[in-house]
Amino acid sequence: MQDIARRAGVTKAAVSFALNGRPGVSEPTRRRILAIADELGWQPSSAARALSDGRSGSFGLVIDRPARTLGLEPFFMQLISGIQAELARDTTPLLLAMAEDQAAEIALYRGWWARRLVDGVFVVDLQVTDARVPVLEDLGMPAVVLGAPLGTGSLPAVWSDDAAAVATVVRHLAGLGHRRIARVAGPGHLRHTAIRTTAFERITGGLGIDGRTLEADYSGERGAAATVELLSAEPAARPTAILYDNDVMALSGLTAARGLGLAVPADLSLVAWEDSALCELVAPSLTALHRDICGYGAQAARRLREAAGGAAVPDVEDPPSSLTLRGSTGPAPDAGGRAFR
């Protein structure tokens, strides 16, 4: 600030006013100061800012999933891309960390907030019984939940309707004649898994469809194992269609079905949750539930910026998922005259 003041021929106070966008200097003087600051490569000090107004100028995201799973799943890469794209509009950094469990995640929140390393956090993968929400409320730490506004306390949520997405898939498959539909789910302790499972049971039951859910962990290995288990049943009990809770498990399910000698979609229809480029890189390409995940992340970033600024932020529902039809779905084999081998 002394260097800028000396070059501009003004006081340090004038430099402070100009750099912080506060009144107290004329517009020509402000422009001159900002030009000199840019020329000298000046950047605001997050430590100094935190001392002066308690804000760090950054946001945090902690992900409690195995790193190997995270690296393979396009969803989180798209989500982070959307968050970062929005934060880049005002050069707000994103502090990203991995945690081995909720206790470790909560410890990170406490440490970040005590040191004012972040102005707020994104909360993902809300659990049916989630310890993070009351801790964040007690800390007074601004936070936005990415998920349904159930068990979120006073924290605002950005969410999409998982139950409606399940209904879209089941009704489409039922319209193709499928009467035995299975689902390979994510971990059962996650709130969105529970919502999907409840919706799946309700909708299949209401349509008189034989529905079965097997829990997995979003990995290709567990997706393949669940597929083999489902297809190892007696022919009359085998599903003719399977919905997977992510694209990675759907891809492994396709490979597993082929390994059992089944043709897709002649013998078995497959649907992936969360459309991605992976769904189009296989043959047949995968029918998938599609939504704008980057836009979802950007929406959450806008809401967290508002919450960190002290605004009251309401829950925001994202546009519903749509079903992108590709080559992995077709008429049920028993409806089309072709029997399971």
Side-chain angles (χ1 to χ4, degrees):
M1 289 178 65
Q2 287 178 332
D3 293 340
I4 296 170
R6 189 180 307 113
R7 289 275 297 271
V10 298
T11 64
K12 284 176 59 179
V15 173
S16 177
F17 292 152
L19 296 180
N20 289 288
R22 293 162 56 189
V25 293
S26 67
E27 193 55 35
T29 299
R30 186 188 308 279
R31 287 197 297 267
R32 186 168 79 254
I33 290 171
L34 292 176
I36 293 170
D38 185 61
E39 181 184 338
L40 294 176
W42 173 85
Q43 294 290 332
S45 166
S46 59
R49 177 184 293 172
L51 286 172
S52 64
D53 64 7
R55 302 189 64 180
S56 68
S58 62
F59 293 129
L61 169 62
V62 183
I63 300 175
D64 172 15
R65 286 199 190 184
R68 63 179 182 85
T69 302
L70 183 63
L72 291 172
E73 194 172 8
F75 170 80
F76 270 110
M77 298 303 102
Q78 294 180 52
L79 179 70
I80 292 170
S81 174
I83 290 173
Q84 188 59 65
E86 175 61 30
L87 296 184
R89 294 167 61 88
D90 58 5
T91 66
T92 298
L94 177 66
L95 182 57
L96 176 64
M98 305 289 292
E100 60 184 29
D101 54 33
Q102 270 206 359
E105 185 172 344
I106 288 171
L108 277 171
Y109 291 154
R110 292 188 185 280
W112 284 355
W113 194 237
R115 292 178 287 163
R116 291 302 188 267
L117 292 180
V118 297
D119 295 329
V121 293
F122 301 96
V123 181
V124 297
D125 283 344
L126 196 71
Q127 299 187 14
V128 175
T129 302
D130 203 296
R132 295 171 295 176
V133 172
V135 169
L136 290 168
E137 289 178 320
D138 287 344
L139 290 174
M141 188 178 192
V144 168
V145 175
L146 287 96
L150 297 172
T152 54
S154 62
L155 305 183
V158 176
W159 64 292
S160 65
D161 193 336
D162 283 328
V166 170
T168 296
V169 173
V170 172
R171 287 172 181 152
H172 171 70
L173 293 172
L176 292 172
H178 293 276
R179 310 306 297 172
R180 299 188 302 276
I181 303 174
R183 173 169 157 263
V184 178
H189 66 276
L190 297 178
R191 173 73 70 181
H192 63 261
T193 300
I195 291 171
R196 296 175 188 182
T197 299
T198 299
F200 183 75
E201 292 173 350
R202 183 184 70 251
I203 295 161
T204 54
L207 294 174
I209 289 172
D210 179 9
R212 182 184 177 190
T213 296
L214 283 186
E215 183 179 327
D217 63 357
Y218 295 123
S219 71
E221 295 84 357
R222 287 289 295 123
T227 302
V228 171
E229 181 178 343
L230 288 166
L231 297 178
S232 296
E234 291 297 319
R238 291 173 185 165
T240 61
I242 304 176
L243 166 62
Y244 296 84
D245 268 17
N246 77 344
D247 45 3
V248 174
M249 293 195 298
L251 288 169
S252 66
L254 173 61
T255 301
R258 284 174 168 168
L260 294 173
L262 299 177
V264 175
D267 297 324
L268 178 69
S269 288
L270 304 179
V271 179
W273 203 296
E274 305 298 4
D275 197 5
S276 73
L278 295 178
C279 295
E280 299 185 78
L281 296 178
V282 292
S285 54
L286 290 171
T287 293
L289 281 164
H290 178 82
R291 60 174 170 155
D292 182 3
I293 300 171
C294 287
Y296 182 56
Q299 177 78 270
R302 289 191 289 272
R303 299 290 81 79
L304 184 55
R305 185 186 287 122
E306 293 172 4
V313 179
D315 298 329
V316 177
E317 184 176 358
D318 213 41
S321 298
S322 60
L323 191 61
T324 299
L325 301 179
R326 299 194 180 99
S328 68
T329 49
D334 45 354
R338 178 171 177 174
F340 260 126
R341 287 189 288 274

